[in-house]
Amino acid sequence: MGCGVAKSNKFHTKKGGKAMKAAVLIQRWYRQYVARMEMRRRYTWNIFQSIEYSGEQAQIKLYNFLGYLMDNFNPTSTERNLISHIFRENEVCRDTEWERHFCYKNIEVPEIYSGPRLIFPLTVEQVAAMVEAFRNKRQLHSRYVLQLLLETWKLLRKLPNISRISTCHSKEITVCGDLHGQLEDLLLIFYKNGMPSLDRPYVFNGDFVDRGKDSIEILLILFAFLLVYPNDVHLNRGNHEDHIVNLRYGFTKEVLGKYKMHGKRILKLLQKIFSWLPLATVIDQKVLILHGGISNTTDLCLIARVDRHKYVSALRPPKKRTQYPVSQSSVDLDMEDDLSGTKNNQRRVSLIKANSFGPRDGFQRRSLQDFSGRVPRTVDEEIEVRRRQSGFIKGGFSHSQGELNNLAVSSASQESTDTADTTVEEWKQILDLLWSDPMSQNGCIPNEVRGGGCYWGPDVTQDFLDRHNMQLIIRSHECKQDGYEFCHNRRVLTLFSASNYYEVGSNRGAYVKLGPDLVPYLIQYQASSMTRELTLRKNVGKVEHSALKVLREQLFAHKSDLVSAFQEFDKDKTGQVSLNDWATAVESVLRLGLPWRMLRFQLATCKTPGGMLDYQEWFQELSIKEPQMEHIDQGLLETLYRHRATLETIFRIVDLDNSGFITMEDFRQTWKLLSAFLKMEITDEAISDLSVTIDTNQDGNIDIDEFMEAFRLTDKKSRLERGKSMFMGTTTDLTKLEGDPNI
């Protein structure tokens, strides 16, 4: 029996050793697998984030350029008139005139309307019914939209710049970050945490709009709860609560699409509302909640007394209103446009050539801070100063009178300078609040990645909290993969509530609850049920597919620069480069800091037998979708694709009546503006060819959406399109991908 036992132990020991080795091998494989998935997830994230910040920088550069035109052209020039309406500098009407303009009483609600009907003052039951209607994809009638927005505007005008709230009576305060038009996330937060109430206060930390498709619904829900619970719902302004930003990122387009008849008035009223949103919220004097961040000059006392409504767009310091001799206010003219539905048919002459705008080598690469010192006099001020100077030079005054006038001019100039300095300082404070990001290094530097605000370090955080006797800053503004992230020794919390922001599965959303102890309790979620049905492999693959598609668009948009970079390595002009040289050249042009050598197998598929890449053949894999574009100059197509979002923004600026259509003359003006902005020549012949190609029905108008859709990029021979990589089309495709050893 003893021998038998010994034999059995030996057998089990041998078997156990094999099992242990197998377990170690499996564990090692799994760790490598998870590491590969994490690496793919990180570089995918870097692709999305780099391109997002590049877009924000381009938007700010465009706005700097338009601001340059406003500052350097006289008020009656056609160039200035083309863009002046977006700066709103001629609006001199009082609040009562605005309220008359936004009157909703002349708008009839038809009997067949099946959406929610609002009666003011609102009740929580009405708001709950409206939320349910939005959940079921029903739309609120424009009469109720205007009425709700008007009541919101009246309330916001009574609120301070900094809201101060308390957790007394054991209340828990819920703080939400960016929602970006994603109604599904807001509804999920309400489902998990409950709707706002007297016992469940909320702080929503800006960026309610843009990117998502339900921005107006989110605003209406938040504004309705604000009206019902004005002491328990608090809204901070974000950098996307700005009509200039909305032109690029979708909110303007969404409102005009959903409210075709009264959309223009709704947008105008929202501009006023955005400028009246509070700038920050403080909980128990210890926790500061703001959208972007702080700088080494942030002063809450100064922010508390700023006239925040002057900053209709935080991208530009406000100018003193100029009293132009007009017979009718701009609001009255807008009212006539809304009621008649007609467009001003007066045509504008072509813009002068780009080199006539004077030297502007700087503003293509300059951030908003670089322009902060340039707040010129208004036209009336300039005329008055020159008139006085002219009179003095002509000798029309006695010596003593001349001295008096000189003193008056000097005094007026000093007063103007003091006012301008104060305005610039206030503007910088607001700009930093809305646009800044934290960094790991000490110090405070301009945020050149976004183009506005600053990067601030842990030393700035510590100094700010010590000066204001606080313990935590909660901010948003940055998408985080887990929905939140602590930094600066856990003294700064970034909170982002829009899950699946870049793509389904790209990130979680989160909100935080603060009780009397002010210890953050974080709740994460992911709104789409689709993410729960995907494995880690499939989830990463789906997001990666979208990121690589965006990356290939960037490669096409920089074709000329890439060809030049490849030719630096291709000294013998063979049309081929090694894959290592390909990776080096691509990084030198795009500067995204991505692992190109790892990505090359998914981006560069046409290799020769010697392991070289035929880069001319590689570029032929990228093409514009529509065949009728083949005769258009390829350089023009490349320029269009590289600056596609900027071009669409200019389109919507030129589209004065927000109809979604522009005439051929408007089309030419758009391209003239773009060519001046890019400091390049786009010939009239090229513009004419493009306009004829787009105007397929020959009605003399161009549909902006159809124009932009006509230039979608297709990838003819990519592995992604052949279903061999991360293409996530159907369940069958997903099953096939599981067995692909190359992934």
Side-chain angles (χ1 to χ4, degrees):
M1 182 178 289
C3 293
V5 172
K7 189 174 181 180
S8 176
N9 285 341
K10 184 178 180 181
F11 172 77
H12 284 295
T13 301
K14 188 174 181 180
K15 186 175 180 181
K18 288 183 178 180
M20 182 63 69
K21 288 181 180 179
V24 170
L25 289 174
I26 292 172
Q27 188 179 51
R28 184 182 303 167
W29 171 87
Y30 180 73
R31 285 175 178 170
Q32 292 175 348
Y33 168 78
V34 171
R36 285 196 302 271
M37 291 296 105
E38 181 61 22
M39 183 178 295
R40 285 168 56 184
R41 198 168 78 113
R42 287 184 181 180
Y43 75 62
T44 297
W45 187 263
N46 286 339
I47 292 171
F48 281 128
Q49 197 165 66
S50 296
I51 293 174
E52 177 188 11
Y53 289 171
S54 175
E56 290 185 344
Q57 192 179 89
Q59 174 70 3
I60 288 177
K61 287 177 181 176
L62 174 64
Y63 196 62
N64 284 339
F65 167 69
L66 299 178
Y68 176 89
L69 297 186
M70 290 292 293
D71 291 341
N72 289 276
F73 282 81
N74 66 66
T76 60
S77 68
T78 55
E79 294 81 12
R80 201 176 192 273
N81 286 336
L82 190 67
I83 59 173
S84 62
H85 63 284
I86 69 168
F87 289 90
R88 307 295 178 194
E89 291 184 356
N90 295 349
E91 292 179 343
V92 296
C93 51
R94 295 179 296 274
D95 286 343
T96 53
E97 293 173 311
W98 277 104
E99 291 180 20
R100 179 175 59 83
H101 172 59
F102 296 127
C103 183
Y104 52 85
K105 295 179 181 178
N106 60 338
I107 303 175
E108 296 293 333
V109 180
E111 293 183 3
I112 60 172
Y113 170 68
S114 60
R117 296 176 181 266
L118 303 183
I119 301 174
F120 291 81
L122 287 176
T123 64
V124 66
E125 290 77 18
Q126 289 185 80
V127 180
M130 187 176 71
V131 171
E132 189 61 28
F134 291 159
R135 187 197 307 274
N136 295 321
K137 309 301 180 184
R138 287 196 303 234
Q139 189 170 300
L140 187 65
H141 194 275
S142 56
R143 173 191 172 98
Y144 301 124
V145 172
L146 283 170
Q147 189 174 6
L148 194 154
L149 294 181
L150 197 57
E151 294 299 320
T152 302
W153 180 41
K154 292 177 182 178
L155 173 61
L156 289 174
R157 281 149 56 188
K158 303 175 184 178
L159 300 182
N161 293 346
I162 301 176
S163 304
R164 298 186 181 273
I165 56 180
S166 173
T167 58
C168 64
H169 308 302
S170 300
K171 282 187 178 180
E172 276 191 328
I173 298 175
T174 303
V175 184
C176 299
D178 297 27
L179 289 166
H180 276 303
Q182 298 186 185
L183 181 60
E184 193 175 5
D185 286 298
L186 180 62
L187 296 179
L188 182 58
I189 292 171
F190 286 165
Y191 173 77
K192 294 171 70 71
N193 193 61
M195 291 188 181
S197 67
L198 294 174
D199 299 319
R200 196 175 293 108
Y202 274 84
V203 177
F204 294 93
N205 198 25
D207 278 12
F208 317 119
V209 303
D210 280 332
R211 301 189 188 278
K213 65 182 186 301
D214 297 314
S215 295
I216 186 65
E217 284 78 12
I218 286 178
L219 282 181
L220 294 174
I221 289 172
L222 297 184
F223 291 161
F225 275 118
L226 175 67
L227 292 174
V228 175
Y229 301 112
N231 297 318
D232 298 285
V233 174
H234 306 274
L235 310 179
N236 289 342
R237 184 176 183 177
N239 67 306
H240 278 260
E241 277 67 64
D242 186 314
H243 71 282
I244 299 298
V245 179
N246 301 154
L247 281 168
R248 185 185 187 101
Y249 291 104
F251 182 54
T252 298
K253 179 180 176 181
E254 177 192 330
V255 173
L256 295 174
K258 291 180 177 178
Y259 295 96
K260 293 180 172 58
M261 184 172 294
H262 301 286
K264 187 176 179 182
R265 270 201 280 176
I266 290 172
L267 284 173
K268 275 181 172 288
L269 183 49
L270 282 169
Q271 287 175 29
K272 303 290 284 185
I273 287 174
F274 288 166
S275 70
W276 278 103
L277 285 170
L279 301 173
T281 300
V282 175
I283 300 178
D284 290 348
Q285 307 298 322
K286 293 294 182 182
V287 178
L288 174 66
I289 306 170
L290 42 72
H291 180 72
I294 61 173
S295 71
N296 54 357
T297 62
T298 298
D299 183 354
L300 292 185
C301 294
L302 176 57
I303 292 169
R305 61 176 183 266
V306 165
D307 290 332
R308 66 182 188 271
H309 66 281
K310 294 192 303 184
Y311 301 88
V312 178
S313 173
L315 297 181
R316 177 178 170 88
K319 294 178 65 177
K320 207 170 182 180
R321 284 176 173 173
T322 304
Q323 301 288 341
Y324 296 120
V326 292
S327 59
Q328 195 174 16
S329 73
S330 58
V331 170
D332 291 335
L333 292 173
D334 289 331
M335 175 71 84
E336 288 184 1
D337 288 343
D338 287 337
L339 295 179
S340 65
T342 59
K343 183 176 182 178
N344 184 1
N345 292 319
Q346 182 181 1
R347 294 272 60 92
R348 294 174 290 274
V349 299
S350 297
L351 288 173
I352 57 181
K353 292 182 179 179
N355 56 13
S356 299
F357 287 111
R360 36 181 199 85
D361 296 333
F363 66 73
Q364 281 293 333
R365 291 178 297 276
R366 292 165 73 179
S367 62
L368 286 174
Q369 286 88 345
D370 298 322
F371 287 81
S372 61
R374 195 161 48 77
V375 185
R377 298 188 191 99
T378 64
V379 175
D380 284 357
E381 290 171 336
E382 188 69 28
I383 292 173
E384 179 63 16
V385 169
R386 292 188 180 185
R387 183 188 66 77
R388 292 181 181 181
Q389 290 174 342
S390 175
F392 177 73
I393 292 171
K394 290 178 180 179
F397 302 95
S398 66
H399 181 71
S400 59
Q401 183 65 42
E403 287 179 346
L404 289 174
N405 280 331
N406 240 355
L407 183 62
V409 170
S410 175
S411 176
S413 177
Q414 181 62 43
E415 184 179 350
S416 176
T417 301
D418 293 342
T419 302
D421 289 343
T422 302
T423 299
V424 170
E425 179 59 31
E426 291 179 354
W427 171 67
K428 283 182 176 179
Q429 295 275 328
I430 292 178
L431 187 68
D432 288 336
L433 285 187
L434 300 182
W435 281 88
S436 296
D437 294 305
M439 64 178 181
S440 57
Q441 300 86 4
N442 283 337
C444 187
I445 59 176
N447 192 333
E448 298 293 348
V449 175
R450 291 188 190 267
C454 70
Y455 280 117
W456 88 93
D459 59 328
V460 176
T461 293
Q462 189 63 51
D463 177 68
F464 176 86
L465 293 176
D466 289 345
R467 280 190 291 114
H468 293 87
N469 194 27
M470 293 184 176
Q471 65 186 44
L472 178 66
I473 295 173
I474 299 178
R475 43 92 60 177
S476 302
H477 194 44
E478 286 184 284
C479 182
K480 298 297 180 182
Q481 287 185 317
D482 293 321
Y484 72 93
E485 183 179 89
F486 281 99
C487 65
H488 296 182
N489 301 315
R490 296 183 68 87
R491 308 300 295 275
V492 174
L493 169 62
T494 297
L495 193 65
F496 199 82
S497 298
S499 65
N500 309 301
Y501 179 61
Y502 295 123
E503 176 58 81
V504 174
S506 63
N507 67 284
R508 294 181 179 181
Y511 59 90
V512 64
K513 302 178 76 169
L514 293 168
D517 57 3
L518 298 180
V519 175
Y521 176 66
L522 288 146
I523 297 93
Q524 297 171 286
Y525 57 87
Q526 214 152 10
S528 176
S529 60
M530 184 178 180
T531 58
R532 295 189 289 271
E533 300 168 1
L534 300 178
T535 64
L536 173 63
R537 184 194 203 93
K538 296 173 183 176
N539 195 7
V540 171
K542 179 176 178 61
V543 179
E544 188 178 41
H545 164 61
S546 296
L548 291 175
K549 180 180 177 182
V550 172
L551 194 56
R552 289 196 302 278
E553 293 176 351
Q554 291 293 307
L555 291 169
F556 172 82
H558 291 82
K559 178 179 177 180
S560 298
D561 295 335
L562 287 170
V563 169
S564 299
F566 293 148
Q567 288 173 346
E568 289 293 319
F569 292 100
D570 183 22
K571 301 298 184 183
D572 297 330
K573 302 186 186 306
T574 62
Q576 299 177 358
V577 294
S578 69
L579 290 179
N580 282 337
D581 289 343
W582 172 87
T584 302
V586 170
E587 175 58 26
S588 69
V589 172
L590 295 187
R591 299 186 180 278
L592 294 178
L594 297 173
W596 296 105
R597 287 171 178 79
M598 184 168 65
L599 289 170
R600 65 190 180 185
F601 298 109
Q602 293 156 296
L603 295 172
T605 59
C606 45
K607 293 185 295 182
T608 62
M612 303 290 283
L613 173 73
D614 187 325
Y615 53 86
Q616 294 293 352
E617 182 183 346
W618 176 57
F619 273 119
Q620 288 176 5
E621 293 185 359
L622 302 177
S623 67
I624 293 298
K625 176 186 175 184
E626 300 295 335
Q628 63 264 31
M629 299 299 165
E630 294 177 357
H631 70 282
I632 302 297
D633 178 71
Q634 290 301 305
L636 186 59
L637 291 181
E638 182 183 334
T639 299
L640 186 150
Y641 222 88
R642 186 184 304 190
H643 304 283
R644 188 172 182 233
T646 297
L647 179 61
E648 184 173 7
T649 303
I650 297 176
F651 267 140
R652 300 200 181 279
I653 291 172
V654 173
D655 180 22
L656 295 177
D657 65 348
N658 295 308
S659 64
F661 295 88
I662 58 175
T663 66
M664 288 297 182
E665 183 61 26
D666 289 334
F667 183 79
R668 292 186 181 90
Q669 298 300 329
T670 299
W671 281 95
K672 291 293 183 181
L673 265 179
L674 182 66
S675 64
F677 171 62
L678 300 177
K679 295 190 291 187
M680 62 176 289
E681 280 296 326
I682 302 176
T683 66
D684 289 337
E685 182 181 1
I687 296 175
S688 296
D689 288 344
L690 203 54
S691 62
V692 170
T693 300
I694 296 299
D695 187 20
T696 54
N697 61 359
Q698 302 296 312
D699 66 347
N701 290 315
I702 292 176
D703 184 315
I704 297 174
D705 294 329
E706 288 183 2
F707 176 83
M708 302 311 299
E709 181 65 17
F711 290 87
R712 284 199 301 120
L713 200 66
T714 59
D715 200 348
K716 293 179 180 177
K717 300 179 181 178
S718 170
R719 292 178 67 216
L720 292 172
E721 299 301 321
R722 297 204 309 267
K724 287 188 176 181
S725 184
M726 267 51 82
F727 178 64
M728 314 301 289
T730 63
T731 307
T732 306
D733 295 321
L734 298 177
T735 306
K736 289 179 180 178
L737 286 173
E738 284 295 318
D740 190 344
N742 296 319
I743 299 180

